Amino acid sequence: MVLGFAKKREIEVRPQKISAVGAAASHPYGLVIPSMNTESPAVTAIADLQTHVGQAVTLRGWVYHLRSSGKVRFLVVRDGTGLAQGVLVKGNLPEEDFQQFDRLTLESSLILEGKVKAEPRAPGGYELEVSRLRPVNISQEFPISPKEHGVAFLLDRRHLWLRSPRQQAILRVRDEVCRACRDFFQERGFVLVDTPILTPTSCEGTTSLFETNYLDQGKAYLSQSGQLYLEAAAMALGRVYCFGPTFRAEKSKTRRHLTEFWMVEAEAAFFTLEDVMALAEDLVRHMVARVLLHQEPQLRLLERDLGPLEQVVAGPFPRLSYGEALERLKEQGKEIPWGEDLGGDEETVLSQMFQRPVLVHRYPRSAKAFYMEPDPADPRLALCVDLLAPEGYGEIVGGSQRMDDLETLLKSLAAHNLPREPLEWYLDLRRYGSVPHGGFGLGLERVVGWLCGLHHVRETIPFPRLIDRIYP
Ligand code: 4AD
Ligand code: MG
């Protein structure tokens, strides 16, 4: 047999009509290597090896580790679902396949066939008695090794860094959180409404806007939040949510800030602050429960302490008014003047005081956005809430009841020096059947960072955008 199967042109993607056993039958759109034996066993994900003990399978993946010992060759292969050890014993596979082992380097891609054996001592717990080995591409020297690298070095190679087990684990947790959010809202009758990314105005203040030129229409801005549009959609559909990228030209270089992040936002007609708080709490508990249920192995790989997360699922979350929060902070030696927003440091201190996330409500209006409904009991305050994650993580959710009265909103726009024209449509919502309503936004990366126990949000998104980074 010619050993030419590693060449690209010999790999073709074609839907298989053959109803034979093996790779074709279970993976109709998989890569088919023509030179491979048509009797090749079924392509199996490493995560599924447990159900194939004693059977022959085909594994496709990348070399994670290589080792030789006498006449035996060992390799650990990863395929995105897990790690498995392959054992090559001279004489148990064609000599030319055995020879191929010596060409392999870390991250070379390859296809293996062999019989599955449970082997508790092997990484992943299963071993393949290799009967065929075919390299697909021999990797050049891989720049990332198990030794310690600096963060800048790794971020410059983010496209390769993603292959590390830790990064894979984080991305799987992120995926679970996204699906948990969608299921949560769908089960509660919220309709997904996609809000625009190019917008004519700001939503969360003018200091963190990314500006662009919009053809002949003048300036446009990348969306800071879908909220204003969701309010319109809530007046049509009742309960709505959006989930998409959000942009903030935040000058703050902190462990909690990205310039591009994903936010899930909910909005509902006839919702009061009380409803907003209850919904946000339910969502957070639901997400944590789902991650514990389906992604515990990832959390363990990340060495996440599960105890505090189990506390979160149990609920309920403590609630503090802004005034009470100031008192608590003062007791801890952190005094801030009434009227100021809580900063990252204050949030860290507060969120370390409780075992569970804490809902801080009714901040001074002066510290918050223009659209928040004043508290009828004290009009200096807004009917708003921030949900702070425990263990020092701080704000993961911000929400409020919205101003539903036209005159109050006009006054607020003026007080915030915001132009009225680009928001006429938003004012219309207060002219035509206005109702009390409210909602919140939850930052996906902050939640993933907290659940994974990470120090910085930069590892929670596949390709982070930070104030000083847009590559790769
Ligand atoms: O508190 P924020 O600014 O609220 C809003 O944008 C509202 N319009 C949402 C709404 O009511 N529909 O942002 C909401 C959340 C924050 O709690 C935080 O989790 C996240 O978005 N967030 C960021 N995440 C990463 N990097 C940044 N620069 C972030 N800014 C906000
Ligand atoms: Mg906020």
Side-chain angles (χ1 to χ4, degrees):
M1 183 196 307
V2 220
L3 300 171
F5 41 70
K7 283 188 204 145
K8 243 197 185 121
R9 63 189 154 79
E10 292 191 25
I11 301 176
E12 57 182 61
V13 180
R14 60 176 143 110
Q16 280 281 337
K17 294 210 184 79
I18 317 157
S19 61
V21 284
S26 57
H27 285 257
Y29 293 94
L31 283 175
V32 176
I33 312 292
S35 58
M36 202 145 167
N37 186 348
T38 47
E39 296 303 307
S40 287
V43 174
T44 305
I46 290 173
D48 295 335
L49 286 183
Q50 53 193 347
T51 58
H52 293 272
V53 175
Q55 297 168 10
V57 298
T58 299
L59 295 184
R60 305 190 292 198
W62 294 264
V63 174
Y64 185 69
H65 188 67
L66 293 164
R67 179 163 64 93
S68 289
S69 160
K71 287 191 177 141
V72 189
R73 306 277 180 274
F74 297 93
L75 58 85
V76 177
V77 59
R78 61 165 192 88
D79 73 345
T81 74
L83 296 175
Q85 174 159 284
V87 183
L88 287 73
V89 180
K90 210 174 171 57
N92 284 2
L93 68 166
E95 182 57 21
E96 54 196 4
D97 286 24
F98 189 78
Q99 300 289 334
Q100 289 294 323
F101 181 91
D102 295 333
R103 295 177 59 219
L104 295 177
T105 53
L106 294 186
E107 288 304 313
S108 290
S109 44
L110 81 177
I111 300 175
L112 292 175
E113 292 177 21
K115 202 163 109 186
V116 182
K117 212 179 101 182
E119 174 49 77
R121 285 167 306 171
Y126 295 90
E127 199 170 78
L128 204 66
E129 296 169 348
V130 177
S131 55
R132 300 300 310 267
L133 181 155
R134 299 150 185 276
V136 175
N137 173 261
I138 299 296
S139 173
Q140 296 180 22
E141 193 180 342
F142 199 65
I144 301 175
S145 59
K147 70 164 201 237
E148 287 277 312
H149 294 288
V151 170
F153 178 93
L154 291 169
L155 284 173
D156 284 341
R157 291 158 188 80
R158 182 63 174 165
H159 50 295
L160 304 176
W161 187 24
L162 292 179
R163 301 183 190 190
S164 85
R166 271 182 65 84
Q167 300 306 314
Q168 290 180 48
I170 296 166
L171 293 185
R172 283 185 185 277
V173 170
R174 180 184 170 104
D175 168 62
E176 187 72 45
V177 172
C178 292
R179 279 181 288 132
C181 274
R182 297 197 173 102
D183 292 345
F184 175 88
F185 285 119
Q186 200 223 334
E187 283 159 16
R188 284 159 186 77
F190 283 73
V191 180
L192 177 69
V193 171
D194 301 311
T195 53
I197 286 171
L198 287 167
T199 60
T201 45
S202 79
C203 174
E204 294 297 319
T206 48
T207 52
S208 64
L209 281 173
F210 275 109
E211 199 178 286
T212 181
N213 290 321
Y214 194 74
L215 307 173
D216 296 334
Q217 301 280 310
K219 285 192 169 62
Y221 309 95
L222 300 185
S223 175
Q224 297 169 310
S225 159
Q227 178 198 319
L228 306 187
Y229 296 96
L230 273 191
E231 288 183 50
M235 299 305 133
L237 292 154
R239 294 176 167 207
V240 291
Y241 76 104
C242 65
F243 198 172
T246 308
F247 306 87
R248 305 263 172 109
E250 301 265 12
K251 293 283 159 25
S252 31
K253 193 173 180 171
T254 79
R255 63 194 184 94
R256 297 176 173 139
H257 288 91
L258 295 161
T259 53
E260 177 180 304
F261 64 96
W262 282 62
M263 181 153 53
V264 58
E265 296 182 80
E267 195 70 32
F270 299 102
F271 257 39
T272 60
L273 175 63
E274 193 58 35
D275 299 319
V276 170
M277 292 202 278
L279 187 71
E281 173 171 341
D282 275 358
L283 173 62
V284 171
R285 286 167 68 175
H286 177 84
M287 287 183 324
V288 178
R290 275 277 295 265
V291 169
L292 283 172
L293 183 65
H294 296 312
Q295 303 298 334
E296 194 185 313
Q298 319 298 338
L299 298 179
R300 290 200 185 280
L301 187 149
L302 294 163
E303 294 170 347
R304 177 65 162 106
D305 181 4
L306 301 184
L309 298 182
E310 281 152 6
Q311 279 287 322
V312 174
V313 177
F317 297 173
R319 295 180 181 195
L320 284 183
S321 69
Y322 171 84
E324 288 164 336
L326 288 198
E327 278 166 34
R328 292 292 192 108
L329 285 167
K330 197 169 163 190
E331 287 161 18
Q332 301 289 317
K334 275 217 165 276
E335 204 162 340
I336 59 162
W338 191 97
E340 266 182 33
D341 203 357
L342 305 182
D345 291 349
E346 289 80 38
E347 286 173 6
T348 303
V349 172
L350 271 180
S351 72
Q352 277 164 344
M353 280 181 213
F354 300 91
Q355 304 256 322
R356 297 183 183 144
V358 51
L359 295 152
V360 182
H361 54 87
R362 295 179 172 81
Y363 287 66
R365 285 177 59 202
S366 54
K368 293 288 179 186
F370 74 93
Y371 50 71
M372 295 182 178
E373 177 75 8
D375 183 358
D378 181 351
R380 296 175 308 157
L381 305 178
L383 292 178
C384 68
V385 63
D386 277 2
L387 192 154
L388 312 184
E391 302 171 84
Y393 278 90
E395 182 191 340
I396 54 170
V397 172
S400 72
Q401 195 175 315
R402 322 302 189 190
M403 265 177 197
D404 55 67
D405 173 65
L406 181 62
E407 290 311 316
T408 319
L409 184 55
L410 282 170
K411 278 190 203 131
S412 179
L413 281 179
H416 282 83
N417 279 323
L418 289 168
R420 183 180 153 158
E421 289 123 68
L423 284 172
E424 274 304 329
W425 68 270
Y426 186 68
L427 296 170
D428 271 354
L429 306 177
R430 280 74 189 167
R431 293 187 181 107
Y432 304 107
S434 189
V435 297
H437 62 287
F440 62 80
L442 171 145
L444 175 62
E445 289 76 15
R446 291 200 187 167
V447 169
V448 174
W450 161 48
L451 297 185
C452 292
L454 307 178
H455 172 69
H456 198 293
V457 286
R458 65 190 159 215
E459 284 180 66
T460 63
I461 184 161
F463 293 95
R465 299 296 175 236
L466 303 159
I467 46 172
D468 53 359
R469 173 170 296 277
I470 194 165
Y471 178 90

